[in-house]
Structures are given as structure tokens and as C-alpha cells.
Amino acid sequence: TLDPNGTLATPIFDRVGNAFVVGATETWVNDLTPPTVAITSTASNPTNVSAIPFKAVFSEHINGLLSTEITIVNGTLGTFSTADDITYDFTVTPTIDGDVIVSIPGTTCKDDAGNDNTASSTSTIKSDRTRPSVTITTPISTTNASPIPVTIQFSEDVTGFTLGDINVSGIGTASALTAVSGNQYTFNFTPTTDGTITVNVPDDVCTDAATNNNTAAIQLTIKSDRTLPQLYSVSIASNNTHPDYVGIGGIVTLTITASEDIDITGVLI
């Protein structure tokens, strides 16, 4: 038997009582420590890559981690390899946008002394492969306002969006781009003449946190009309035999000719 220091505690004798003389040594390694494992990824978080790389590194050599022993939420295992049974490289393809969670449970593999591994901490990477969309609005499509306020709303926070990314056609100038939030911007368009104004944001002018480029907006059309309508003529007639007179229950017809469509609702006659 061996004492706690590894020294022979009980003498060894042959059959006739001769003490055993040690001529060689044997060394045993006492290992009661379970192997630990850490999981990391070189992918940005969030990421838009289709195969997210992960690395599992054990604290010591283990006897075989199987690909089926990796726990994955919101994804499927792709490549899986190791060169030394210490470091394992693998990829995960996300199922949908959202958190991809990877872990290795305890007691899935053993070290050379037969100790079961401890559970890893979870590694979480957010998958975002959806391009941000954008809509353009204004309070009213036909207006005499100057300047005309326009709102640009993205589906998520973006970076890199500037006034030069806005395509505006029409006589006038765009100015005062303001970031209301990470996903909402406003700017003003000051028309110099009446006419139709179109506003558009093309694709690939800004990116979300996962570096997805934006999609193109649906074009906004605004009519600027700051010219007062001109009244060319006004005539009044009744359904009486004498159109200049009207009796009780008679109908009076008012005819107005103007330079453009007008609204006389509420006009006192």
C-alpha cells in the first residue's frame, strides 16, 4: 500500500522472508479535478452571418466530445472538428432571427482520469439577417406649407444615414436633417415654385447593428401649391320663370368659375 505521499507504506517480502528491494519506480498522477469548458465566438453580436463560428475549449484533454452533445437553441449544427480533443471548432446556422444559444451540459465527456466535465456557461449571439426597411411620410400630400416637414421611419436603428442619402426631385432644397431616434429622422423641404415633389431613400445607404443594408423606400409624392386661386366669374340664377327672382321653395344656383378646384364649404351666401 501507498501512504498519502505516494511512499510504500507496507514492506513487501518474498515467500522465504526476504525484503523486496525496489529497483524501479512507478508514477501515478492523482487527478480528481473535473475538466471545465468555455464557449466563445468570434462573430460580432448581433451578426448577420449565416454560419456563426463557435469554439469550445476544455481545460484539459478529454476522451471525445460528440457533436450531438452540444445543446443549441434556435439553430442547427454545421461543421464540427477538433485536432487535439481540447479545442473544438463548430458552426451553427440560425433558424430564425433572434438569440442563438449554445452550451455543453455537464457529464457529457470525461478526462483521462475518468472525471466528468462540468457544464459550460451559455454563449449567446443574436442573429439578425433581416434588412431594415424604411417608410417616408408627411402630414398632408397637397400643401401650401413652406417648409414641408417630412418623416423617415426605419424598421430598426440604423447608422450612416445622412441628408445626402435622400433623393428629392422638385424645385426647392432639403435641409435640417434631424435624428429623432436611432430609427426615425425628419427633414424639411422648402419649395421655390408650385409643383410635384418626390422623395425617396434608395437601398444600401445605411446599416443596422448587424451590418445589414437598408432596402429602398416607397417613393413619397407631395404637391406644393402656394398660389391663391383666382375667381374668374360668379353668377346667380333661380329656377323661376324670371331667373333674377326667386320665390318661397325656389332653387338658387350659384356658378363660380375659378383658376383651379376650390372648396366653398362653409361659405356664407
Side-chain angles (χ1 to χ4, degrees):
T1 59
L2 299 177
D3 63 19
N5 297 317
T7 304
L8 193 63
T10 303
I12 301 175
F13 299 93
D14 62 15
R15 292 182 178 180
V16 296
N18 296 310
F20 175 74
V21 178
V22 177
T25 61
E26 183 70 28
T27 303
W28 291 270
V29 176
N30 184 33
D31 181 0
L32 301 177
T33 303
T36 59
V37 56
I39 303 176
T40 59
S41 177
T42 57
S44 61
N45 194 6
T47 183
N48 63 357
V49 299
S50 57
I52 303 175
F54 286 93
K55 185 185 295 290
V57 180
F58 287 85
S59 57
E60 59 181 306
H61 180 273
I62 60 166
N63 291 307
L65 173 71
L66 301 179
S67 61
T68 55
E69 294 171 330
I70 301 174
T71 300
I72 300 172
V73 177
N74 186 31
T76 56
L77 186 69
T79 59
F80 177 81
S81 64
T82 182
D84 56 10
D85 284 325
I86 296 176
T87 301
Y88 290 79
D89 294 291
F90 58 95
T91 60
V92 174
T93 300
T95 304
I96 60 174
D97 282 359
D99 287 344
V100 176
I101 304 172
V102 177
S103 62
I104 296 175
T107 69
T108 57
C109 52
K110 299 177 182 294
D111 65 11
D112 293 336
N115 298 302
D116 290 323
N117 71 287
T118 60
S120 72
S121 58
T122 58
S123 179
T124 303
I125 300 290
K126 182 179 180 180
S127 173
D128 177 7
R129 293 178 290 169
T130 301
R131 300 175 67 182
S133 59
V134 56
T135 57
I136 310 172
T137 59
T138 191
I140 189 168
S141 58
T142 301
T143 181
N144 63 356
S146 181
I148 302 171
V150 180
T151 298
I152 297 176
Q153 182 72 52
F154 290 91
S155 59
E156 58 182 307
D157 289 355
V158 296
T159 57
F161 185 64
T162 67
L163 186 64
D165 296 325
I166 304 171
N167 291 342
V168 181
S169 66
I171 305 300
T173 57
S175 63
L177 180 69
T178 302
V180 179
S181 64
N183 64 352
Q184 186 181 84
Y185 294 78
T186 60
F187 75 96
N188 292 329
F189 182 81
T190 304
T192 53
T193 62
D194 289 353
T196 299
I197 303 161
T198 60
V199 182
N200 197 13
V201 175
D203 59 357
D204 301 335
V205 297
C206 55
T207 60
D208 64 13
T211 70
N212 296 301
N213 291 331
N214 70 287
T215 60
I218 297 175
Q219 181 175 276
L220 173 69
T221 301
I222 309 167
K223 183 178 180 181
S224 175
D225 180 4
R226 295 179 296 150
T227 301
L228 295 175
Q230 302 296 313
L231 297 181
Y232 295 142
S233 64
V234 179
S235 63
I236 301 174
S238 74
N239 64 344
N240 196 297
T241 304
H242 299 284
D244 293 337
Y245 298 88
V246 63
I248 297 174
I251 298 174
V252 176
T253 301
L254 175 65
T255 302
I256 301 174
T257 303
S259 59
E260 59 183 299
D261 291 345
I262 59 175
D263 183 2
I264 61 171
T265 302
V267 174
L268 182 63
I269 299 176

